[in-house]
Amino acid sequence: TETALPITEVALAAGFGSLRRFNTSFREAYRMAPRDLRRRPRAASDETLTLRLGYRPPYDFPAMLAFLRHRALPAVEVVGEDAYARVIAPPEDAPDAAPGWLRVSEAGGDGHALLLQVHGVAPARLLPIVARLRRMFDLDADPRMISAALSSDPLLQPMLQRHPGLRLPSGWDGFEIAVRAVLGQQVSVAAARTLATRLAHTFGRPLDTPLAPGLERLFPTPAALADADLSSIGVTRARADTLRGIARALLDGRVDFNAERTLEDFTARWVALPGIGPWTAQYIAMRALGHPDAFPAEDLVLRRVAADGDAALTTRALSGRAEAWRPWRAYAVIHMWRQASEEAVAAASRTAPAARRKRAPGTPASRSRTARGTRVAHPRGGHA
């Protein structure tokens, strides 16, 4: 009743392969035929399809946007103060079809839902798009269950109390996340984003016409990178070999993003690829699959936060402590990264006034070592 879509397209969007089966199910559920419901005034025809994606509260949507904004790829996605938007590639069976785009924002009110607007996409593609977004924005999580399981740890309890709606940010495309995980090895988030932007602009498909402000290009496909010369984007030869290796492994089926695999099976397949270690494999599982128990135990930021002011824990010690956090270890990661980020901001705010006081009269601000000019690079990619 909210769109002018023909009943056949509504059936396809709902996942039915048979219009007859759709009509039967509709009669059983609503005691009327679809055409009877459509006798109400029809909505105006528009290529935009709008859906509400429900979730269990609490949900910290601003924190989700902040995480994605810090990593957003220019021309591929746009993260504003209140919404996320990105280009949608054509389906694999129709690569020459026109791309579409989507926008996710808060629905408003007390309906506990996000608002999804999809532009230029066939209704039959709605189900996989919705599934991707529900994973990407972690809309199926039960925050109360997760909090109850993790709050028994005195380290995590105050973090959970401060940010009860913090969710696990995933990504739109598995290959995109995997590539960015490799680019982020041993560099800061900002440096990784710069490399990913160069990669997208050099090897991604430009759109004939921007779909919306800031949405002008598709991220490269595995086929586009399998034999690409990546030296122009500024990565090392080893990183370039790893990226091409990932692309080829996806094309020949050695690795995939099958969410039905166990975490152990998934990470074992990825670690078997040259240049992919346990940290990267776990990070891909966490961000590409949204796996709730993924845990990059080698991460130095996590080992420092878990030490709670003492010397950083060893990987083995952190892994041992995290056994009590199963099967929600990835949520512990997000909270600990958030904690580290807040501590870094607090430290910077304390440092900046002191630096200004020490500056000699007439010294240009650009030469002062203030917090703004200080870059803290987190090992293992700086994903905090």
Side-chain angles (χ1 to χ4, degrees), residues 130-169:
V130 168
R132 280 193 181 201
L133 288 172
R134 293 198 68 84
R135 184 204 69 241
M136 180 176 180
F137 288 88
D138 199 17
L139 299 180
D140 294 319
D142 186 338
R144 300 184 191 281
M145 177 185 295
I146 296 167
S147 180
L150 296 179
S151 291
S152 59
D153 191 300
L155 173 73
L156 299 177
Q157 185 181 36
M159 302 179 195
L160 293 159
Q161 291 175 343
R162 282 195 302 273
H163 305 292
L166 201 60
R167 297 293 179 98
L168 180 60

Side-chain angles (χ1 to χ4, degrees), residues 44-61:
S45 179
D46 192 336
E47 69 167 5
T48 301
L49 298 174
T50 303
L51 298 175
R52 291 170 62 88
L53 308 180
Y55 57 77
R56 299 178 183 91
Y59 188 93
D60 193 340
F61 187 60

Side-chain angles (χ1 to χ4, degrees), residues 359-379:
R359 189 188 311 161
T363 301
S366 61
R367 295 179 58 189
S368 172
R369 289 186 54 83
T370 63
R372 176 175 295 183
T374 302
R375 184 179 73 89
V376 179
H378 294 292

Side-chain angles (χ1 to χ4, degrees), residues 74-100:
V76 176
E77 54 189 351
V78 174
V79 186
E81 290 301 317
D82 59 359
Y84 171 89
R86 76 164 293 127
V87 179
I88 306 174
E92 292 183 1
D93 57 357
D96 296 326

Side-chain angles (χ1 to χ4, degrees), residues 119-134:
H119 306 259
V121 172
R125 297 183 61 198
L126 279 180
L127 276 182
I129 288 173
V130 168
R132 280 193 181 201
L133 288 172
R134 293 198 68 84

